[in-house]
Amino acid sequence: MSETSLDAGFFVRWLTAAAASVEREADRLTELDSAIGDADHGSNLRRGFAAVAGTLEGEPPGTPGAVLAAAGRQLISTVGGASGPLYGTLLRRTGKALGDADRVTAEDLRAALRAGVDGVAQLGGSAPGDKTMLDALDPAVEALGGSFRAAAEAAAQGALATVPLRARKGRASYLGERSIGHQDPGAASSALLFAALAETAEKEGAE
Ligand code: ADP
Ligand code: MG
């Protein structure tokens, strides 16, 4: 993993794969949000990631940090719900932490994503255990020290582990006890982002 070197193109391919995955899974995300929210998470993210993919398709920025920053800005400007600014912050902060390097290592990415996830926690006033996207993002970044696949698995497990939790942040928290027994939609979409990262890395022999 320490040998891995990721360029701007890798980040474009990751986010394009993430957009395709969000598109495929949008109905499921909205279904999860209809149980404990307002049934718009899938459509919010579909719109946001389609805009990200569109932006990156033309003339993508030349560094990993700039790709992530541009994607984050798109999410913030196109997603109306809470998840837009939160995912936008995740990508912008991660991009900022990568600086203007042409290539970054997997360890650089892990450290930068840590800064990004901390930014989400700060903006949301939330912590792991609150039944939000952080319950997938936080363990994923921890596991990234192992491999991209380990991070994807940790995110998926973290998302499933939100089912028995009571929501303490976001719209689902209005339901109190009734939020128990449902998977958090944002944790489910975070798992998709890390699955797309692992797929992209494995396809390119970066593990
Ligand atoms: P909205 O709640 O505005 O309808 P979405 O449905 O797109 O926005 O996104 C909801 C998701 O956003 C939740 O499932 C949760 O994962 C995440 N979320 C909401 N509020 C917070 C917060 N304060 N901190 C972290 N994540 C949050
Ligand atoms: Mg919603």
Side-chain angles (χ1 to χ4, degrees), residues 160-186:
L160 287 178
T162 63
V163 172
L165 298 178
R166 176 185 171 148
R168 287 195 287 250
K169 291 288 166 184
R171 221 175 263 283
S173 66
Y174 309 154
L175 292 179
E177 296 280 328
R178 282 182 294 136
S179 65
I180 293 172
H182 304 278
Q183 185 175 169
D184 178 65

Side-chain angles (χ1 to χ4, degrees), residues 38-50:
D38 57 352
D40 65 356
H41 190 58
S43 47
N44 281 343
L45 287 195
R46 172 191 271 152
R47 182 170 61 251
F49 275 90

Side-chain angles (χ1 to χ4, degrees), residues 90 93-94 97 108-121 128 134 137-144:
L90 173 70
R93 285 280 184 99
T94 302
D108 294 334
L109 177 57
R110 190 199 59 73
L113 276 166
R114 173 44 65 198
V117 171
D118 289 349
V120 171
L134 284 175
L137 295 175
D138 188 72
V141 173
E142 282 304 304
L144 203 49

Side-chain angles (χ1 to χ4, degrees), residues 88-154:
T89 295
L90 173 70
L91 298 184
R92 286 180 63 184
R93 285 280 184 99
T94 302
K96 194 172 171 199
L98 290 177
D100 58 7
D102 286 331
R103 306 185 74 93
V104 301
T105 66
E107 172 53 26
D108 294 334
L109 177 57
R110 190 199 59 73
L113 276 166
R114 173 44 65 198
V117 171
D118 289 349
V120 171
Q122 197 179 25
L123 177 65
S126 43
D130 287 346
K131 195 180 181 103
T132 70
M133 57 175 67
L134 284 175
D135 288 305
L137 295 175
D138 188 72
V141 173
E142 282 304 304
L144 203 49
S147 67
F148 289 111
R149 181 51 55 191
E153 282 167 8

Side-chain angles (χ1 to χ4, degrees), residues 74-91:
Q74 276 298 325
L75 290 179
I76 290 169
S77 62
T78 55
V79 178
S83 60
L86 291 164
Y87 276 131
T89 295
L90 173 70
L91 298 184

